[in-house]
Structures are given as C-alpha cells and as structure tokens.
Amino acid sequence: MSLPLPGEPGGEPSTETPPQPVAAHTSLESLVHLLQGSSRPNLADVGITTLPQAQLDRLHSSARQEAELCQDRSELFLELLEHCVEHNATPEPETLLRMTRQLLRLARDQRRWHDLADNAAYYRDNVQVAARISSYLFPRDRCD
C-alpha cells in the first residue's frame, strides 16, 4: 500500500508517469528570490539590504526557526525509515523514492532558510555594508 507523503495530494497511488526529480532550485528558493525582486539567485540575499534592522532581526529569527523545523522533519522521516527497516517493513520502491526526494527537498530548504537567517543577521549587524549594497542596487532618483 502506498500512502501519500506530506505535501502530496491524497488519494490512491497513480499508475501514471513517476514524479519528476526535485529541481536544483526548490519552490522556497524561487519564492525568496522573487520576494527580493529577482527571478534568479543572487549572492547573499542582497534584496533584503533595504529592510530596517528590526525586520532583519525578525527575518533572522523566523528563518532560523524554519531551518530547525526542516531538520526536525528530516529526522522524523529517517526515524520512520529506521523503524520500518528494523521491523522488516521496508516501503515499496516507489514510496522509498518519494521519501528520498522529500528528504532531499527538506535538506535543500533547511540550507536555504539557514542561509537567509545568516544573511539577515549579517546585514542587521553590519548596517554600513547593507546601506552600501542597497545604494548600489537601488540608487535613489537624485533629480528631485
């Protein structure tokens, strides 16, 4: 029996083509880039340099918490798999593949949340650097 994994639609397993591998850029990573005004990755999340220190601090805390949640979810998946193997109840290959892909996605999301938290903390703690990057990327109209 094949059960849906978190984030997958419920229902019976499909006999259609197998799910595609997780792309190099997860939906989380794409969303973060779009929120920063770019559809492609940029170094060190420079799009957040315009945020005030209080928002950078909240972003740091929230992103760190999300990274920890990804870690917790990964550990739960691995504990489940360990329990299955110990009790000779190894999942079917299709389910095992979906679990592996979900673990990979969680690992990538964890790394992305961690990087965002680190970058937010850096810009919060280095106001001059953030201001310099921000003024370079988003020059103000000086023709007022």
Side-chain angles (χ1 to χ4, degrees), residues 4-5 7-11:
L5 296 174
E8 294 183 336

Side-chain angles (χ1 to χ4, degrees), residues 47-56 59 130 134:
I48 64 174
T49 58
T50 60
L51 297 175
Q53 282 187 293
Q55 287 183 356
L56 288 170
L59 180 59
S134 179

Side-chain angles (χ1 to χ4, degrees), residues 110-137:
Q110 178 191 12
R111 185 174 34 243
R112 186 64 186 102
W113 283 120
H114 181 56
D115 289 347
L116 183 59
D118 283 352
N119 291 332
Y122 179 81
Y123 296 135
R124 177 199 62 204
D125 297 340
N126 296 279
V127 179
Q128 297 84 2
V129 173
R132 188 172 53 233
I133 292 170
S134 179
S135 68
Y136 175 75
L137 293 174

